[in-house]
Amino acid sequence: CTDLGLDREWVKISRADIGIEDGQPLFVTAAAPHAITPEVRECWIQVLAGSPNAKMLVMPFLNGLIQEEERKVVVSLLEMAARDIGLPADRLLIMTDLVESASQLVPYLELCDVYLEAFPCHTPFPAAKALEKGVPVVTMEGVTLRESITSGILREQGLADWIVNDPMEYVIKATAAAESKARVQYNRQPVSSLVGTIGKLLEG
């Protein structure tokens, strides 16, 4: 865990500010705690293990209602998963603060090389923010609306190649993207407009 300067919402944040060297691959996710299942944790740790020079920034607390005890559990489980396969502690960065809005994530999303979406349950708002910054988003999808939102955004933007079929393909896709420093360009309907529509659907 580390202090990542969350209070500096509108200040440009550098890689050095969060301990990332120039050229070092950075994976980022802001998936909600309930979406970080044991399978997701294992997949993300395998992604990190498959990119020996990379770090992963996890920002899961985009909800003011998340209690401190729940945050401690999420952090402990992630750290345990990394420790179990011998990953150095400094390869996994976890923002333990509550995040008031997706806008606060933007300075960090601008630094990342690949955004990791949870599965099957998606957290579309931060994923869409990542897309707006040209960051590739890797995801799988399920069968319900909440399990298909981020993949739906990717299809709308002509980026269906980033939707994978299983955890093994997820790891391969994410690690290859981090190595190549791939960027994406969204088109058609603006991402922000898509997210607004999705929000209304979820409320209905």
Side-chain angles (χ1 to χ4, degrees):
C1 303
T2 186
D3 178 6
L4 300 177
L6 186 61
D7 56 330
R8 297 179 293 171
E9 179 177 355
W10 304 112
V11 176
K12 186 73 174 179
I13 295 172
S14 71
R15 284 179 162 241
D17 289 334
I18 58 174
I20 308 296
E21 298 176 4
D22 289 340
Q24 185 175 31
L26 177 62
F27 298 102
V28 173
T29 183
H34 70 269
I36 306 176
T37 63
E39 185 179 20
V40 170
R41 279 197 305 271
E42 181 179 352
C43 185
W44 286 351
I45 295 303
Q46 290 302 318
V47 167
L48 195 52
S51 300
N53 190 41
K55 291 191 177 184
M56 183 180 297
L57 171 58
V58 184
M59 304 181 289
F61 306 125
L62 186 61
N63 184 335
L65 299 178
I66 301 174
Q67 299 298 312
E68 183 178 358
E69 285 305 311
E70 182 181 357
R71 300 204 302 274
K72 288 180 179 178
V73 170
V74 172
V75 171
S76 295
L77 289 172
L78 284 165
E79 291 179 336
M80 186 184 306
R83 190 166 55 247
D84 284 349
I85 66 167
L87 285 178
D90 66 351
R91 301 266 318 274
L92 182 63
L93 309 174
I94 306 173
M95 183 183 288
T96 58
D97 293 340
L98 290 171
V99 182
E100 295 180 0
S101 72
S103 296
Q104 287 186 308
L105 303 176
V106 170
Y108 303 97
L109 295 174
E110 290 176 335
L111 301 178
C112 85
D113 298 296
V114 183
Y115 184 89
L116 305 177
E117 175 63 290
F119 56 85
C121 190
H122 295 168
T123 310
F125 295 97
K129 286 290 186 182
L131 279 177
E132 286 182 329
K133 297 302 177 182
V135 178
V137 175
V138 181
T139 190
M140 289 194 288
E141 67 181 343
V143 295
T144 69
L145 174 61
R146 290 183 179 275
E147 296 173 350
S148 308
I149 300 173
T150 299
S151 55
I153 294 175
L154 288 168
R155 287 196 177 90
E156 285 287 340
Q157 302 301 315
L159 299 169
D161 286 350
W162 294 97
I163 306 169
V164 301
N165 297 307
D166 55 58
M168 182 177 293
E169 187 182 357
Y170 188 111
V171 172
I172 293 170
K173 190 81 170 181
T175 53
E179 184 175 345
S180 68
K181 304 289 184 181
R183 305 302 282 182
V184 299
Q185 189 168 26
Y186 66 87
N187 49 43
R188 302 177 191 169
Q189 188 178 358
V191 170
S192 57
S193 182
L194 280 170
V195 172
T197 301
I198 289 164
K200 291 178 182 177
L201 285 171
L202 291 176
E203 291 173 0

